[in-house]
Amino acid sequence: VQALAALGKERPRAAEAAKLRYLSGLTDEEIAEELVWEGAKVSASTVRRDLAVARAWLYQALRGSER
């Protein structure tokens, strides 16, 4: 949860997409319907990119905390 909060400071949209996926279990399309960013809807392909960024960021953050 701390890593997700840290991600939220650097990449808030990616963090929100990750929360919706991993904590709520939503699909890419469902996340796209829920996620409005700066007044605009987000596409499913943007959600997929954001989730890829979030996974990579969280992997590095968690890997670094193990050392």
Side-chain angles (χ1 to χ4, degrees):
V1 177
Q2 290 175 340
L4 196 53
L7 172 61
K9 291 180 182 177
E10 288 190 34
R11 304 294 293 262
R13 192 179 68 206
E16 189 61 30
K19 287 178 193 175
L20 291 170
R21 165 59 58 81
Y22 300 117
L23 301 179
S24 298
L26 300 182
T27 66
D28 295 345
E29 290 75 18
E30 291 169 332
I31 294 168
E33 288 179 22
E34 286 288 318
L35 193 59
V36 175
W37 203 257
E38 296 181 358
K41 285 260 185 184
V42 174
S43 69
S45 60
T46 298
V47 168
R48 285 189 283 278
R49 282 191 300 273
D50 284 343
L51 289 171
V53 166
R55 277 190 300 273
W57 196 99
L58 292 167
Y59 175 80
Q60 288 299 320
L62 294 173
R63 186 175 174 209
S65 68
E66 293 176 2
R67 294 181 181 179

